[in-house]
C-alpha cells in the first residue's frame, strides 16, 4: 500500500512546487496524474521514488517511510536513459549486482520477455527504435519486481502508433504483475484508457484539484470513454485557469483564482 500524506516540496530559492498532496493508492491500482506544465508532477514522482526528499509530509510504502530510493519503487522517465556502452541485457541487469549470476540471468530474461524483447539482449541501445528503447527502460524498471512503478510521461516522445502499442503493453504487464502504477501524462485519452483513477493537479503550488474515478473494465472508445474524457478535460481547463504565478496575475481577473472544486 502506497500512502502519501501532506506531501510538500519547496525548492531552495523558494519555489513551492508541491503542497498538501495526500493520496492512498491501493495495491494494483493505476492512478494517472494530469496537469499543466510546472504543476509539480515530476516533483511528486521524485519524492515518491525517494530520489528527492519532501519538505513537508511523507511517503509510506507498506508502513515504511521512504527516505531514499526504495527497492519496491521504480521510476520510468520520459526518455529511456539507457547506458549507450552497455548491451540491452546489461542495461536491464545494471542494478542486480547483489544477486547471483544465475538469478541475474533469470530476472533479466523474465523482464525482457515481459516487454517482448527477449531476442534483443545483445544489442546496443543505438540499434533500437525509440519504442524498443523505452521498452528496455520498462524492463529495467521491472527487473527488481517492484510493487510500485512510477511513470513520468513515458510515451510522450513516441509516435502515436508506437504510443498506443506501448500503452496496451503496459496494461498487459500490469495484468501480469499487478504493480501499483502512478502514471504522469499530458494525454487525457491515455489517462482515461489506462487508469482506474485520474488525479487532476493545479499549479502554484502543485496540489490536487479534482479526482475522477474510471469505471472498469477499461475502454478505449465509446460514450462512457467520451463522457469521462470530457470530465477530465473540464477539470484540466479549470486547473489551467485556476491560478497563475504572481508575475502573470496582473493581467488575469481575480475571480479566476477561486474556480476550484476541492481544496
Ligand atoms: N530542482 C529544482 N529547483 C528549483 N525549482 C524546481 C526544481 N525542479 C522543479 N522546479 C520547479 O518546480 C515546479 C514544478 O516542477 P515539475 O518539474 O515538478 O513540474 P511538472 O508538472 O513535471 O512539469 P512538466 O509538465 O513541464 O514536466 C516548477 O515551477 C519548476 O520550475
Ligand atoms: Mg515533468
Amino acid at each position: 500500500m502506497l500512502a502519501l500524506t501532506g506531501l510538500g516540496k519547496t525548492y531552495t530559492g523558494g519555489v513551492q512546487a508541491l503542497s498538501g498532496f495526500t493520496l492512498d493508492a491501493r495495491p494494483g491500482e493505476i492512478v494517472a496524474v494530469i496537469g499543466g506544465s510546472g504543476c509539480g508532477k515530476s516533483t511528486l514522482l521524485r519524492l515518491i521514488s525517494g530520489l528527492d526528499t519532501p519538505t513537508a509530509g511523507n511517503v509510506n510504502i507498506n508502513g515504511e517511510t521512504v527516505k531514499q530510493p526504495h527497492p519496491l519503487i521504480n521510476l520510468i522517465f520520459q526518455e529511456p536513459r539507457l547506458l549507450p556502452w552497455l548491451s540491452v541485457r546489461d542495461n536491464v541487469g545494471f542494478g542486480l549486482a547483489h544477486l547471483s549470476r544465475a538469478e541475474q540471468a533469470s530476472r533479466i530474461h523474465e523482464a525482457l520477455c515481459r516487454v517482448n524483447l527477449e531476442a534483443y539482449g545483445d544489442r546496443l541501445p543505438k540499434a533500437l527504435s525509440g519504442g524498443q528503447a523505452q521498452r528496455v527502460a520498462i524492463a529495467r524498471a521491472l527487473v527488481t519486481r517492484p510493487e510500485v512503478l512510477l511513470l513520468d510521461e513515458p510515451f510522450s516522445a513516441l509516435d502515436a502508433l508506437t504510443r498506443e502499442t506501448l500503452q496496451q503493453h503496459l496494461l498487459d504487464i500490469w495484468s501480469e504483475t499487478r504493480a501499483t502504477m502512478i502514471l504522469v501524462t499530458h494525454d487525457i485519452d491515455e489517462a482515461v484508457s489506462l487508469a482506474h483513477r485520474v488525479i487532476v493537479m493545479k499549479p502554484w503550488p502543485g496540489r490536487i484539484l479534482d479526482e475522477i474515478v474510471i469505471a472498469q473494465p477499461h475502454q478505449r472508445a465509446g460514450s462512457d470513454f467520451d463522457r469521462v474524457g470530457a470530465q477530465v478535460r473540464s477539470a484540466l481547463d479549470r486547473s489551467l485557469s485556476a491560478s497563475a504565478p504572481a508575475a502573470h496575475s496582473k493581467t488575469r481577473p481575480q475571480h479566476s483564482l477561486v474556480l476550484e472544486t476541492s481544496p
Side-chain angles (χ1 to χ4, degrees):
M1 166 82 153
L2 177 72
L4 316 177
T5 310
L7 211 51
K9 178 73 181 180
T10 302
Y11 286 107
T12 318
V15 176
Q16 198 182 3
L18 202 67
S19 170
F21 198 104
T22 295
L23 177 81
D24 285 349
R26 294 186 307 277
E29 188 178 20
I30 304 178
V31 180
V33 177
I34 196 163
S37 188
C39 75
K41 304 179 298 295
S42 296
T43 299
L44 173 71
L45 293 195
R46 277 202 305 275
L47 295 181
I48 301 174
S49 71
L51 285 175
D52 204 351
T53 46
T55 46
N58 64 73
V59 177
N60 202 284
I61 181 162
N62 302 334
E64 185 190 340
T65 301
V66 174
K67 294 191 171 138
Q68 57 194 14
H70 193 284
L72 291 180
I73 306 175
N74 270 342
L75 177 56
I76 296 169
F77 300 93
Q78 183 176 6
E79 71 291 351
R81 299 192 182 188
L82 302 177
L83 298 170
W85 60 90
L86 290 183
S87 67
V88 163
R89 182 176 293 109
D90 290 343
N91 265 287
V92 173
F94 191 70
L96 298 181
H98 58 292
L99 299 176
S100 71
R101 291 191 78 81
E103 179 64 16
Q104 287 183 35
S106 133
R107 294 269 192 121
I108 292 167
H109 181 70
E110 173 190 291
L112 284 177
C113 286
R114 283 215 198 284
V115 297
N116 291 340
L117 286 179
E118 61 271 37
Y120 287 68
D122 292 330
R123 289 215 189 176
L124 285 173
K126 68 179 182 204
L128 300 173
S129 70
Q132 288 167 341
Q134 194 57 315
R135 275 151 63 197
V136 174
I138 294 172
R140 184 181 50 191
L142 290 172
V143 80
T144 55
R145 298 177 183 155
E147 277 183 27
V148 176
L149 262 190
L150 309 170
L151 301 110
D152 197 351
E153 303 187 43
F155 309 133
S156 60
L158 305 172
D159 64 86
L161 199 62
T162 310
R163 184 159 61 232
E164 204 165 305
T165 310
L166 281 201
Q167 288 167 351
Q168 185 52 48
H169 205 78
L170 191 70
L171 279 185
D172 294 341
I173 289 168
W174 173 81
S175 64
E176 288 166 19
T177 61
R178 298 281 161 166
T180 304
M181 295 188 183
I182 311 287
L183 169 71
V184 163
T185 179
H186 275 117
D187 181 340
I188 294 175
D189 287 355
E190 179 168 290
V192 173
S193 58
L194 295 183
H196 302 124
R197 198 160 33 132
V198 180
I199 303 290
V200 181
M201 288 184 68
K202 68 178 175 182
W204 310 301
R207 57 212 143 124
I208 297 176
L209 168 68
D210 209 347
E211 177 181 309
I212 292 134
V213 174
I214 314 287
Q216 302 299 306
H218 287 107
Q219 298 183 349
R220 279 197 169 270
S223 55
D224 282 352
F225 180 86
D226 292 344
R227 185 180 47 74
V228 178
Q231 244 179 300
V232 175
R233 186 164 291 109
S234 151
L236 200 53
D237 285 346
R238 274 184 284 126
S239 160
L240 298 176
S241 64
S243 54
H248 297 187
S249 61
K250 277 188 220 136
T251 57
R252 302 173 78 92
Q254 283 304 306
H255 64 261
S256 69
L257 296 171
V258 295
L259 290 176
E260 57 185 70
T261 57
S262 58

